[in-house]
Amino acid sequence: MTKFKAINRLWLLGAILLGSASAQATTLLGMDIDQIAIQAELIFEGEVIERRALQDDNSGIINTFVTFRILDVLKGNARGDTLELKFAGGEFEGQIVEVSGSVLPALNESGIYFVESATEDMLNPLLGWTQGHFKISVEEGERRIYSAQSKPVIQVQGMSGVPAAIKARRPLIQGKDGVAAGVLTEESSAITVNRALTVDQFKQRIRGMIE
């Protein structure tokens, strides 16, 4: 079991014990983008075609089930043309449960997703949560990559070649603002939009990390 997976399960237990409308501040270990690419069970480009929230009859926990149409697989095996992932939290019959630090893919969202596990019970099945969640937006006829926080991704560079002596310690990430080390973003503006990596450029860099 990876260290991140153990942390993810710990927070899942905490949310069950809380039974409240919101899990408190979530702290995650910052990861390198190449570490995320290598450890991910599945990396795919997809589009969200359905979101449905359900409440467990026994525990009362609310989860949101997100169904993706799979458009391209960069790594792993996708069993079929669609994939359903379960995220903790959501809105069900007027009750809203939020997990701090977790961003749920929106209906009709297109993106590239790094899945830690499609089968295990987790708060968020995306590796590194927002660190493994990238959106696609069409700007002036070009499909470009944005972070989960909707900031243009202008560079992606693997960190494995950086000497340990000069490599910064992995930070602890709190809230929804985390991006992986090696991913450079800027505040969105009319100027930075055209600097964002295209989908093909992003895929090429990720495939280079996992080959």
Side-chain angles (χ1 to χ4, degrees):
M1 180 187 303
T2 65
K3 185 174 182 180
F4 179 83
K5 188 175 292 186
I7 293 173
N8 206 344
R9 284 182 171 173
L10 178 62
W11 276 105
L12 177 60
L13 176 60
I16 293 173
L17 294 176
L18 275 170
S20 62
S22 175
Q24 301 304 309
T26 305
T27 300
L28 300 172
L29 181 66
M31 303 179 72
D32 300 340
I33 185 59
D34 38 347
Q35 177 190 16
I36 290 176
I38 292 169
Q39 291 186 11
E41 173 184 286
L42 175 68
I43 305 173
F44 72 96
E45 177 190 345
E47 176 187 6
V48 178
I49 58 175
E50 182 181 16
R51 272 183 41 153
R52 58 191 177 91
L54 297 174
Q55 186 173 38
D56 186 273
D57 292 335
N58 297 319
S59 66
I61 297 295
I62 294 175
N63 295 294
T64 298
F65 294 83
V66 180
T67 303
F68 301 83
R69 177 183 293 114
I70 297 177
L71 304 176
D72 187 23
V73 176
L74 285 73
K75 178 186 177 184
N77 296 312
R79 300 173 182 175
D81 297 330
T82 62
L83 174 68
E84 183 180 79
L85 297 177
K86 184 176 78 171
F87 294 77
E91 182 176 355
F92 181 79
E93 296 183 350
Q95 300 181 67
I96 299 175
V97 174
E98 295 182 348
V99 177
S100 176
S102 182
V103 176
L104 276 63
L107 185 62
N108 299 320
E109 173 185 304
S110 294
I112 296 179
Y113 307 94
F114 295 68
V115 180
E116 180 175 5
S117 175
T119 56
E120 294 193 38
D121 211 8
M122 297 179 166
L123 283 179
N124 187 321
L126 302 182
L127 187 57
W129 294 21
T130 56
Q131 299 173 83
H133 181 174
F134 295 88
K135 300 177 182 179
I136 296 174
S137 180
V138 179
E139 306 292 346
E140 299 180 359
E142 188 74 73
R143 300 195 308 146
R144 297 187 182 273
I145 293 291
Y146 287 73
S147 68
Q149 302 82 16
S150 299
K151 294 181 179 181
V153 174
I154 63 173
Q155 186 57 271
V156 173
Q157 182 175 354
M159 302 296 289
S160 59
V162 178
I166 63 174
K167 190 174 181 179
R169 294 181 59 188
R170 293 174 186 163
L172 293 178
I173 294 173
Q174 294 188 359
K176 300 178 179 180
D177 295 330
V179 293
V183 176
L184 182 61
T185 64
E186 289 186 343
E187 293 297 328
S188 184
S189 70
I191 296 175
T192 60
V193 160
N194 290 330
R195 295 182 61 188
L197 293 176
T198 66
V199 171
D200 288 342
Q201 289 171 334
F202 182 82
K203 288 181 179 180
Q204 183 179 21
R205 285 162 172 75
I206 298 302
R207 286 190 168 108
M209 295 174 188
I210 59 181
E211 287 179 351

